[in-house]
Amino acid sequence: MNRQDLINTLVARRDASGLSTAEIALRSGLTERSVRNALSLQGNPQMSSLLALVDALGLELQLAPKGFGETAATDPGYRPVATRVGHAVAQAPAPPPYIATNNKRRSP
């Protein structure tokens, strides 16, 4: 997908959702002018604006290796499999269990 395909997809989603530029701006935190510019024929939004627009339109941006899914064009039996990658959250290891100790000194 190239830049223009991405913009066309966002515009189609906007049209299908029935959202106005003002509503998208409100949902995305962008100005109406930024939304209009991003979704224009010459649109070239910054990554942060693109992510805000995608989210405001109820979409999710996913990355795939170049050429991924090209088999579909040459193999009529090909069926893509939906996958979700990147939802694992790195977490710090759990602290060791707390062991209660009695630090009182015993008197002889």
Side-chain angles (χ1 to χ4, degrees):
M1 175 178 278
N2 62 32
R3 180 183 54 83
Q4 194 58 51
D5 291 339
L6 178 59
I7 299 300
N8 290 340
T9 300
L10 293 174
V11 169
R13 178 65 177 211
R14 178 203 58 200
D15 294 345
S17 70
L19 293 171
S20 69
T21 302
E23 291 168 317
I24 295 170
L26 184 62
R27 287 182 177 200
S28 66
L30 301 171
T31 64
E32 288 184 51
R33 182 177 181 174
S34 293
V35 172
R36 273 193 311 275
N37 288 342
L39 299 180
S40 72
L41 291 176
Q42 301 302 318
N44 191 16
Q46 293 181 3
M47 181 60 82
S48 57
S49 298
L50 176 63
L51 293 173
L53 286 170
V54 166
D55 187 55
L57 291 168
L59 298 172
E60 182 177 87
L61 184 63
Q62 295 185 1
L63 302 177
K66 283 187 177 184
F68 181 78
E70 286 182 1
T71 333
T74 58
D75 180 5
Y78 175 77
R79 298 288 184 266
V81 177
T83 59
R84 294 184 74 88
V85 178
H87 287 279
V89 176
Q91 296 179 349
Y98 178 74
I99 301 172
T101 58
N102 188 347
N103 291 332
K104 293 182 181 176
R105 292 187 181 181
R106 293 188 183 180
S107 54

